[in-house]
Amino acid sequence: MLRCRVCLTRSWERVLSLGATPLANNYIRLNDLKKEEIYYPLTLLFCTRCGLVCLDTVVDAAVLYDFYYYLSSESKTMLRHNTWLAKTFVERFGLSGSDLLVEIGSNTGTQLGFFREKGVRILGVEPAENIASLANEAGITTLNRYFNEATAAEIRERHGRAKVILGRHVFAHIDDLDDVLRGVHILLEDDGALAIEIPYLVDMVDGNQFDTIYHEHLSYFSVRTLQHLFERNEMEIFGVDHLDIHGGCILVSVKRKGCPAFPVRGVDELTAMESGKGVQTVKYLEDFARRTVEIKVELTGIINRLKKAGKVLAGYGAPAKGNTLLNYCGIDATYLDYVSDNTPTKQGLYLPGTRIRIRSEEYARQHPPDYFLLLAWNYAQEILQKERAYLEAGGKFVIPIPVPRIVEAAGTAPGGASEAIR
Ligand code: TMP
Ligand code: ZN
């Protein structure tokens, strides 16, 4: 039985099973369609001691990340966020030209580019070889490594200590958090800060975002649980920002225990809110599990009804979370003709499990379905805006999360059943 990576006990309650699914980022090439895919159980556990929510199956990191398809998003929403983050860090942490900022899981280096523009010395650490090469080719110096104690020592030796260590959407992916935090202690300046951006458990649960559960996301954190983790590792949280990107995230700033730098901000507000909601109780997760089943029933009901009425359906966006949704709900290529995605490296591939073909936006414009199932719902605003012409021509979106609903252009709604936008 798994040991809790936060409190080191084995006090689990099993709260939700989404069945078994292939790895969400394992898009399939045409030539590989005949090969069998490996399915892994997708089951959520709750630690009754520290409140950690996590998967019961840990897929080997080398299988997940040595070669990786996920390229950090360059959507308008995300570029706005990258800009904000660079500006905010320079102000908050007083970053100047001689300071080093190390980003772990830096992907293609999009975020680091924004820090470089501000004159900060930067270094990326990225385990996927294909992605680290892309970053280096683009001029963002990136070490092709997993971040841990050994990598931290190597960086310190070659580049000196870091004023800020940043990890965006990487902490939830890490099994041995203690190894990473030992590395942080080695690399960070005495009065430096570790900043991590992670999906927020409370947003996932309150927003019914069960689709964000997939094998890469080992842990689902509340602020309270993170406090346990950092306390045990001689660190403390001094700031939390609650952000609305990716369906709801927290940016958590951490320093060495007892370090006088940085005023405390936003921590008590969030931990009080978590207590008020009962986030550290198994009931909070059990209610989430019940709503997840209800959404599956409702969404498959809508899809079946549309299909029986002869409607043409396609998916919009091929994010990893779409694969959890489709596999869990059993929505495959018999329901969706294709999914459109604007990431060139995904186009032409097939979705894991459901085997739906990924097409370009241009293809989707030429073959508009009656309904798009919006799998990239975290960009709903940006996408509905972009697809105005499709909507105005009578096209509709089915938005599955937080509760399934149909969206169409104002003026074409047949009387209340659909939600009109504009
Ligand atoms: P992400 O939530 O992991 O960034 O994934 C979003 C996916 O949706 C990504 O594969 C790109 C795709 N996408 C589109 O196809 N069109 C769009 O307009 C946007 C914003 C995203
Ligand atoms: Zn625990």
Side-chain angles (χ1 to χ4, degrees):
M1 183 91 182
L2 209 66
R3 200 156 81 133
C4 175
R5 64 179 63 86
V6 169
C7 73
L8 311 181
T9 71
R10 292 179 170 83
S11 330
W12 302 114
E13 291 272 354
R14 199 164 171 275
V15 284
L16 171 65
S17 172
L18 299 174
T21 70
L23 302 178
N25 269 309
N26 273 13
Y27 299 91
I28 312 167
R29 283 187 293 261
L30 177 64
N31 289 341
D32 294 334
L33 279 176
K34 285 199 197 81
K35 285 192 199 156
E36 236 175 83
E37 292 171 89
I38 304 173
Y39 279 64
Y40 302 85
L42 206 45
T43 301
L44 214 54
L45 304 175
F46 172 76
C47 176
T48 55
R49 282 287 281 280
C50 74
L52 178 71
V53 175
C54 73
L55 295 187
D56 78 341
T57 305
V58 178
V59 177
D60 186 1
V63 173
L64 289 168
Y65 306 117
D66 283 0
F67 185 93
Y68 198 40
Y69 272 114
Y70 182 79
L71 300 186
S72 51
S73 167
E74 301 209 349
S75 68
K76 281 189 200 149
T77 313
M78 209 46 70
L79 294 176
R80 233 186 353 256
H81 176 63
N82 296 141
T83 310
W84 175 82
L85 204 72
K87 178 171 167 288
T88 305
F89 274 29
V90 168
E91 286 166 10
R92 276 189 197 166
F93 304 137
L95 284 171
S96 67
S98 58
D99 292 326
L100 175 66
L101 180 142
V102 175
E103 183 176 0
I104 66 182
S106 50
N107 204 273
T108 52
T110 315
Q111 178 67 62
L112 284 173
F114 285 82
F115 283 106
R116 190 174 53 183
E117 265 175 42
K118 297 261 175 211
V120 178
R121 203 154 57 92
I122 53 166
L123 177 68
V125 183
E126 167 55 50
E129 195 185 340
N130 60 318
I131 292 181
S133 315
L134 288 177
N136 281 312
E137 279 161 28
I140 305 282
T141 309
T142 301
L143 207 55
N144 179 211
R145 299 274 193 291
Y146 286 88
F147 185 86
N148 51 28
E149 209 174 344
T151 304
E154 184 186 343
I155 297 173
R156 182 172 164 160
E157 178 84 25
R158 281 165 54 180
H159 303 270
R161 293 209 279 175
K163 178 85 179 177
V164 175
I165 300 175
L166 169 64
R168 298 190 52 229
H169 298 272
V170 59
F171 251 62
H173 300 236
I174 297 169
D175 187 16
D176 190 349
L177 291 168
D178 289 357
D179 192 11
V180 168
L181 294 179
R182 281 194 299 273
V184 169
H185 273 292
I186 290 171
L187 183 59
L188 199 63
E189 287 182 13
D190 289 343
D191 58 353
L194 164 72
I196 60 171
E197 187 181 299
I198 47 171
Y200 190 26
L201 174 71
V202 173
D203 290 315
M204 174 178 91
V205 170
D206 292 357
N208 300 337
Q209 301 165 5
F210 65 85
D211 57 340
T212 61
I213 299 167
Y214 47 88
H215 297 97
E216 290 173 25
H217 292 163
L218 296 175
S219 307
Y220 305 79
F221 293 109
S222 62
V223 176
R224 193 71 204 91
T225 298
L226 285 171
Q227 282 178 327
H228 273 268
L229 173 73
F230 289 118
E231 202 160 295
R232 199 168 54 65
N233 282 278
E234 303 291 312
M235 300 186 82
E236 57 194 349
I237 298 177
F238 65 89
V240 186
D241 297 271
H242 193 182
L243 311 169
D244 65 3
I245 56 156
H246 276 313
C249 294
I250 42 178
L251 175 64
V252 182
S253 305
V254 192
K255 60 181 180 178
R256 288 176 202 278
K257 202 172 209 161
C259 160
F262 314 118
V264 176
R265 275 188 12 264
V267 185
D268 294 345
E269 288 86 331
L270 282 183
T271 50
M273 180 267 276
E274 289 175 3
S275 303
K277 284 178 183 289
V279 171
Q280 303 269 321
T281 64
V282 68
K283 179 174 183 303
Y284 185 64
L285 276 303
E286 284 168 352
D287 289 347
F288 168 64
R290 186 179 35 70
R291 294 195 301 275
T292 298
V293 175
E294 285 167 9
I295 290 172
K296 176 180 180 170
V297 170
E298 198 168 331
L299 182 64
T300 50
I302 292 173
I303 300 287
N304 272 317
R305 178 169 58 74
L306 294 175
K307 214 54 201 165
K308 280 208 183 98
K311 302 295 182 191
V312 175
L313 276 61
Y316 198 105
K321 62 178 168 299
N323 292 320
T324 293
L325 183 111
L326 296 173
N327 281 307
Y328 171 60
C329 293
I331 301 170
D332 60 15
T334 56
Y335 296 92
L336 304 186
D337 287 12
Y338 63 88
V339 299
S340 95
D341 195 285
N342 62 5
T343 316
T345 49
K346 287 184 184 174
Q347 291 158 10
L349 302 174
Y350 293 78
L351 298 186
T354 58
R355 308 293 180 98
I356 304 167
R357 184 157 180 190
I358 305 173
R359 300 282 198 170
S360 66
E361 278 185 346
E362 294 69 39
Y363 179 92
R365 295 247 151 75
Q366 284 155 18
H367 303 82
D370 297 308
Y371 290 79
F372 267 124
L373 175 60
L374 184 57
L375 298 168
W377 51 259
N378 48 321
Y379 298 108
Q381 247 188 337
E382 179 176 336
I383 289 170
L384 293 176
Q385 187 69 25
K386 185 158 94 183
E387 299 303 338
R388 264 193 131 78
Y390 165 74
L391 284 160
E392 268 157 25
K396 299 180 180 68
F397 278 92
V398 179
I399 304 187
I401 308 286
V403 281
R405 66 192 211 276
I406 293 172
V407 170
E408 58 187 346
T412 57
S418 305
E419 178 181 331
I421 62 148
R422 218 183 261 168

